[in-house]
Amino acid sequence: MEKSINILIVEDEAILAMALCDSLESEGYCVVGMASNGAKAIDLFQKNEVDLLLCDINIRGDIDGVETVRQLMKIRSVPVIYLTAFSDIDTIERAKQTAPAAYMTKPHNLLNLRIAIELAIHNFAKQPELTTSLSTSEAVIASPDTTPINVKTDTASRDAILKIDDHIFIKQGFQFVKISLMDMLVLEAEDNYTYFVTTTKRYILRLSLSAALERLNYARMVRVHRSFAVNVRCVDTFDEQTVTLAGHIIPLGKNYKEDFMRSLHGG
């Protein structure tokens, strides 16, 4: 299912933390927690799925924000944005050693923060060891129901889909929405476009079906027809001519039947 980006806030000034939380949630992000010290941040980080970290440098406790980030990155790597009142050279040099996505001084500007988050997710997804990124010439726009809307390829829609591990991030408005590959049902080709059908929505991408499959690089998404691919994890029934999943009846081409059967056996 589609989910908002999960953000962890590390900020020891309660009023600022709450204001930041309200701003992010109004933009459609999900704040999984707020920590005023490094120990609490580590605890929240371990207990929650965190996609991005917003961290102050001068925080309460035995370790500051930079050291907190160091310890969190040993657990797992996520993009980091520093929000701090400190902009001296020594502090910046220490922060740079943790390879943050951005360094922003307080008070934060919502527009600049929104841009920083977008770039942080984008650049993190571009790391070759984590993802196969999609080209900048493709666009995707999601409709609120199962009916696709017109595609408009422009600057705002470039890099609209990014892949990190077993999720794809789809850009909607000013934010990215995370979709698990396991929740992808069907890929359907039509002319030069491919529809991405999930359990709740339908997206359209200017991309061939072959290219879509290659860039998703998801073994469970198997081609069953020249115009269709299905997630074999979601298949309910099949016969000699069709595959059914979540109410979608998909044709099964004879040239693809062998690969489909092999995928069901995990081969």
Side-chain angles (χ1 to χ4, degrees), residues 224-225 238-243 249-254 257:
V224 295
H225 185 273
F238 67 92
D239 54 34
E240 290 296 317
Q241 297 181 322
T242 61
V243 176
I249 301 175
I250 308 300
L252 177 58
K254 63 180 181 179
K257 191 175 301 181

Side-chain angles (χ1 to χ4, degrees), residues 122-263:
H122 170 86
N123 291 332
F124 188 75
K126 287 288 186 180
Q127 296 177 26
E129 68 272 20
L130 293 172
T131 184
T132 301
S133 62
L134 302 187
S135 73
T136 59
S137 62
E138 295 142 5
V140 63
I141 301 176
S143 66
D145 50 32
T146 58
T147 303
I149 58 178
N150 293 333
V151 172
K152 183 179 180 181
T153 305
D154 54 23
T155 303
S157 61
R158 292 176 181 174
D159 292 315
I161 292 187
L162 305 169
K163 183 186 174 192
I164 298 178
D165 298 327
D166 58 351
H167 290 80
I168 57 174
F169 286 85
I170 294 183
K171 187 178 180 183
Q172 297 185 93
F174 294 109
Q175 66 161 329
F176 285 92
V177 173
K178 184 170 64 175
I179 301 174
S180 170
L181 287 172
M182 292 188 295
D183 292 328
M184 296 290 301
L185 295 177
V186 178
L187 299 182
E188 178 183 352
E190 183 176 309
D191 297 326
N192 295 324
Y193 298 90
T194 295
Y195 293 97
F196 286 61
V197 182
T198 73
T199 54
T200 58
K201 290 187 180 181
R202 183 177 172 108
Y203 302 88
I204 185 170
L205 179 69
R206 187 171 185 176
L207 188 68
S208 70
L209 180 57
S210 296
L213 287 168
E214 179 182 352
R215 294 176 183 185
L216 284 179
N217 191 28
Y218 181 50
R220 294 298 186 183
M221 188 64 71
V222 177
R223 195 163 190 167
V224 295
H225 185 273
R226 66 177 183 176
S227 300
F228 293 92
V230 301
N231 185 344
V232 294
R233 295 174 62 102
C234 301
V235 170
D236 296 318
T237 64
F238 67 92
D239 54 34
E240 290 296 317
Q241 297 181 322
T242 61
V243 176
T244 303
L245 62 167
H248 299 272
I249 301 175
I250 308 300
L252 177 58
K254 63 180 181 179
N255 294 333
Y256 302 92
K257 191 175 301 181
E258 183 177 345
D259 287 342
F260 172 69
M261 295 301 297
R262 187 184 301 115
S263 70

